[in-house]
Structure formats: C-alpha cells, structure tokens
C-alpha cells in the first residue's frame, strides 16, 4: 500500500501460474492486482473468500460458484475456462513433448493434443469466427510470455534448416553434432521445432549431457524411421524410444533447448527432443519471435524457401539495427548458398560497409559453424 492506495503491480513477478505460487502468494497477503493463469482453484474456495482479490485477473482458473461470485464482487476480472478446446488459451507455461504427444503410445499421433489442436485450427482458421480468432491470439500471447520467462538471461543461438533433412543421413548427423557442440559451450539452442534439421539440432542439445557414444547410437535408432512421412506415429515413437533409453537429456546439464513450431504448418509435427516447445498458431509471430530471441546469433543450415525467408528476416533488423547491434549470422554449405540458392552474395551486398559486415560468415561444413560463430561474436 502507498498512501492508503494499492501499489501498482506489473511484470512477471505478479503472475501466478501454479497452485504452489498461489499458496505462497496468499500466505504473504492479498491477491490484489495479480494475474492468475490456468490455476485450478476449486480446492481453494475458503482462501478466496477470505482474501482481497480486487484488481486481480483470473485467466482460465476453475473455481466454485461461491468463490467466483466473491471475486467478481471484489472487482476482479474473470476470463472463465473455455470448454471443448483441445488446448488451453491461457496456459502459463510452454509445452513439453510429453504434453503434445500424450496418447501417442495407445492411439497414435491422430489422438494427441498436438494433432487435435491442428484439426481445430483447420476447422476455424477461415470461418470468420471472431471468437476463434481471439482464442488463437490469446494463446499465442500467453506462449510468448512464457517463452520470455524461460529465456530471460539466456544466450540463445538459433539453428535454422529444412524439414526435409532425413534421419540417417550425414547432414542430419552433422546438424545433431552442431546442436551438441553449441549446448556444451553454454548456449541455449532454439530451432523451428519441427522435423529434419530442426529435430537434429534439438537432438544434439538433448545429447549434450550424455557421453558422445549416446548420440551415435541414437542416430542409428532414429535412422530406422527416417521421415514423418508416411507415418507421424512411427516417426514420433522412435524419438520417444530414444528419450526412454537415455532419459534426462539436456535437463541433466542444466541447459534445455527450445523448439518453436507452428500449427500453421501442422502437417509437420513438432519434434520430441526440445526441452520446451513454444507452439504458435500464427506463423508470422512464431518466425519473428524465434529470430528476435536468438541474441547470440543464428546458424543457417541448407534449406529451401523457408530458410531463405529466415535469412532475410534476420538480416533486416541487422541491417537497420532495429534490435540494437547486429547479431552473428553463419551460413553453412558454400555450394548451397552461392550456387543452388545464392542467398550469400545478396547478404554480402546488403552488409557491405555496414556494421553487420563483420557479423556474417559462410562456411563449407557444419563442423566449422561453432568456431565461426565464436569468431563473429568476439570480433
């Protein structure tokens, strides 16, 4: 209280995202001004009846009718849970692979929350329903908030590359070694969260806390299901077989990688090796958010149109320095980026005589990328 008035509250310190946080906060005093996200309060009726909730906002928090009436009388704002949705628009945390793939073992991919959310998106994305559009926006904003909380203070390196890179190939193994190497230097690897090069980099980060032999064996196991086509279920089950055989992954080393996929490309499933998954409905929000949070630079593996788009989505703020000083950009595979898809010459031309000129590099192989990134960072 300041001069008899409630002090304003803002920021993540005043978000309550679990029952434990709720109990700790109530033990210190009122809930006035707090924001509560998806906390089941049906067992806290007595506490709510005895606590000042004026100015609080309850986002998708189930509670008993008596408690609901009381908090509304206090002047709190209540956004009730939305029944029948395959996702929680108010969630306070990112997804885990286990959450998105729940039910995979028994019912196959089609029965998982990830597949059901994609089906809902397909039904509603073009029907003009403002309520569905609002739910998607609220969900994506909640995901961005949770992602900011997770990555606060982290040095994040983005790894971009095509979804078509198959398990069992040299390119896939190289991308996995890259993710492992970056993670072992203390960086947090962030990818687009899908299959191919993205999965490989997240796999490498997952393997970073294990002995080197683990990655070799995991690559061999995964190579038996090289693609999510024709069966997402078989492809995903192979990944969970690896996770079950070598549990813990990067969590054991204190660094978890992040996958940032989208239901816009819902036919491409998320991969199961990211420690946290920030899945969005809006692809533009996802793309910009992934690149903006890659504060330690971005490594671009060979890809097609999507990766080309990401190169120049990243180059634009580096060119204008709209996010501060330019961050490193490393393109991998000289032949790919100078002949097949000649993005490198254009990137060089854009960078010439600008601060970003010393923050770009082209290397021949993926094994050269970590050293190039370190050179650009220190140079």
């Amino acid at each position: 209280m300041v001069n008899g008035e409630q002090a304003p509250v803002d920021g993540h310190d005043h978000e309550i995202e679990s029952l434990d946080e709720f109990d700790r906060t109530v033990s210190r005093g009122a809930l006035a001004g707090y924001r509560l996200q998806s906390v089941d309060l049906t067992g806290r009726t007595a506490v709510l009846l005895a606590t000042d909730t004026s100015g609080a906002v309850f986002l998708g928090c189930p509670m008993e009718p008596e408690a609901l009436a009381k908090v509304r009388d206090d002047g709190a704002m209540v956004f009730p849970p939305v029944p029948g949705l395959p996702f929680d628009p108010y969630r306070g945390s990112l997804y885990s692979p286990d959450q998105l793939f729940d039910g995979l073992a028994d019912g196959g991919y089609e029965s998982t929350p990830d597949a059901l959310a994609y089906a809902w998106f397909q039904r509603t994305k073009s029907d003009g329903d403002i309520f569905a559009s609002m739910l998607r926006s609220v969900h994506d904003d909640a995901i961005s908030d949770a992602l900011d909380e997770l990555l606060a203070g982290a040095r994040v390196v983005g790894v971009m590359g095509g979804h078509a890179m198959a398990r069992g190939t040299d390119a896939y193994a190289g991308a996995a070694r890259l993710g492992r190497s970056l993670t072992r230097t203390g960086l947090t690897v962030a990818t687009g969260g899908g299959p191919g090069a993205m999965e490989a980099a997240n796999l490498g980060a997952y393997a970073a806390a294990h002995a080197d032999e683990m990655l070799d064996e995991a690559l061999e196991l995964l190579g038996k299901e090289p693609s999510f086509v024709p069966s997402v279920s078989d492809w995903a089950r192979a990944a969970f077989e690896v996770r079950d055989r070598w549990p813990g992954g990067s969590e054991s080393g204190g660094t978890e990688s992040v996958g940032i996929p989208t239901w816009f490309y819902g036919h491409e499933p998320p991969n199961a090796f990211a420690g946290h998954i920030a899945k969005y409905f809006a692809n533009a929000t996802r793309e910009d958010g992934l690149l903006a949070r890659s504060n330690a630079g971005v490594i671009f593996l060979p890809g097609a149109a999507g990766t080309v788009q990401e190169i120049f989505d990243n180059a634009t703020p580096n060119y204008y320095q709209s996010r501060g000083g330019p961050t490193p950009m490393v393109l991998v595979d000289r032949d790919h980026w100078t002949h097949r898809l000649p993005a490198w010459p254009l990137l060089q031309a854009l960078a010439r005589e600008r601060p970003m000129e010393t923050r770009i590099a082209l290397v021949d192989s993926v094994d050269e990328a970590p050293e190039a990134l370190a050179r650009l960072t220190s140079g």
Side-chain angles (χ1 to χ4, degrees):
M1 304 288 283
V2 178
N3 296 326
E5 297 183 359
Q6 179 185 308
V9 295
D10 52 35
H12 293 142
D13 288 344
H14 292 88
E15 294 175 0
I16 297 175
E17 298 163 347
S18 70
L19 203 54
D20 285 343
E21 283 184 294
F22 175 86
D23 291 339
R24 288 196 301 271
T25 303
V26 169
S27 71
R28 296 193 298 267
L31 290 170
Y34 278 82
R35 282 80 173 99
L36 295 87
Q37 290 178 252
S38 295
V39 182
D40 188 345
L41 300 174
T42 53
R44 296 295 187 273
T45 298
V47 174
L48 290 169
L49 293 177
T51 303
D52 178 15
T53 61
S54 59
V57 179
F58 293 84
L59 300 165
C61 298
M63 62 185 83
E64 297 293 344
E66 186 180 7
L68 177 60
K70 187 268 182 185
V71 301
R72 283 177 168 161
D73 286 343
D74 280 352
M77 186 174 293
V78 179
F79 293 78
V82 182
L85 286 180
F87 63 95
D88 178 2
Y90 307 115
R91 62 180 300 116
S93 61
L94 301 183
Y95 295 98
S96 69
D98 288 331
Q99 288 172 336
L100 286 178
F101 285 100
D102 185 39
L104 174 71
D106 298 325
Y109 176 70
E110 293 73 17
S111 68
T112 66
D114 186 67
L116 294 174
Y118 177 52
W120 177 88
F121 178 49
Q122 289 292 94
R123 290 195 304 271
T124 63
K125 67 180 181 180
S126 59
D127 63 7
D129 183 357
I130 187 62
F131 183 55
S133 177
M134 183 197 74
L135 291 173
R136 293 194 296 269
S137 296
V138 170
H139 170 273
D140 285 2
D141 192 63
I143 290 295
S144 290
D145 183 68
L147 188 57
D148 285 338
E149 290 182 33
L150 175 74
L151 297 179
R155 295 178 61 234
V156 181
V157 58
V159 178
M160 311 297 169
H163 69 270
M165 184 183 288
R167 296 168 173 174
T169 63
D170 291 342
Y172 185 96
R177 291 194 305 272
L178 172 65
R180 183 177 64 183
S181 176
L182 295 170
T183 301
R184 286 177 173 175
T185 66
L187 294 168
T188 296
V189 171
T191 77
M198 298 169 280
E199 180 189 56
N202 287 130
L203 167 64
Y206 184 90
H210 293 281
D212 287 355
E213 293 77 12
M214 173 267 177
L215 183 57
D216 295 333
E217 294 179 46
L219 290 169
E220 184 175 353
L221 285 173
L222 291 171
K224 297 174 183 178
E225 296 292 342
S227 174
F228 63 94
V229 177
S231 173
V232 174
S233 297
D234 292 343
W235 175 85
R237 286 181 181 126
F240 279 96
E241 181 182 350
V242 169
R243 286 168 50 93
D244 291 343
R245 183 167 175 180
W246 293 280
S250 53
E251 295 97 326
S252 303
T255 303
E256 294 182 327
S257 69
V258 179
I260 308 181
T262 173
W263 280 295
F264 184 81
Y265 297 130
H267 59 287
E268 295 179 14
N271 77 73
F273 293 111
H276 301 274
I277 300 176
K279 191 150 192 180
Y280 288 87
F281 287 104
N283 186 50
T285 305
R286 167 252 192 174
E287 288 276 11
D288 184 69
L290 171 55
L291 293 168
R293 291 174 176 86
S294 297
N295 54 19
V298 183
I299 295 172
F300 298 91
L301 302 176
T307 310
V308 172
Q309 176 182 337
E310 288 161 347
I311 288 173
F312 292 103
D313 280 347
N314 195 46
T316 299
N318 281 346
Y319 181 89
Y320 290 110
Q321 299 189 72
S322 55
R323 295 178 184 144
T327 52
M329 300 176 65
V330 179
L331 277 61
V332 176
D333 191 330
R334 189 177 304 274
D335 182 65
H336 185 86
W337 294 121
T338 59
H339 295 103
R340 295 185 195 133
L341 294 174
W344 174 250
L346 179 53
L347 184 62
Q348 274 189 308
L350 281 172
R352 191 166 296 123
E353 298 182 357
R354 302 186 72 88
M356 68 179 287
E357 187 172 20
T358 60
R359 292 292 185 269
I360 63 172
L362 175 67
V363 297
D364 291 306
S365 72
V366 69
D367 293 329
E368 300 172 75
E371 190 278 330
L373 181 71
R375 184 176 68 252
L376 295 179
T377 300
S378 61

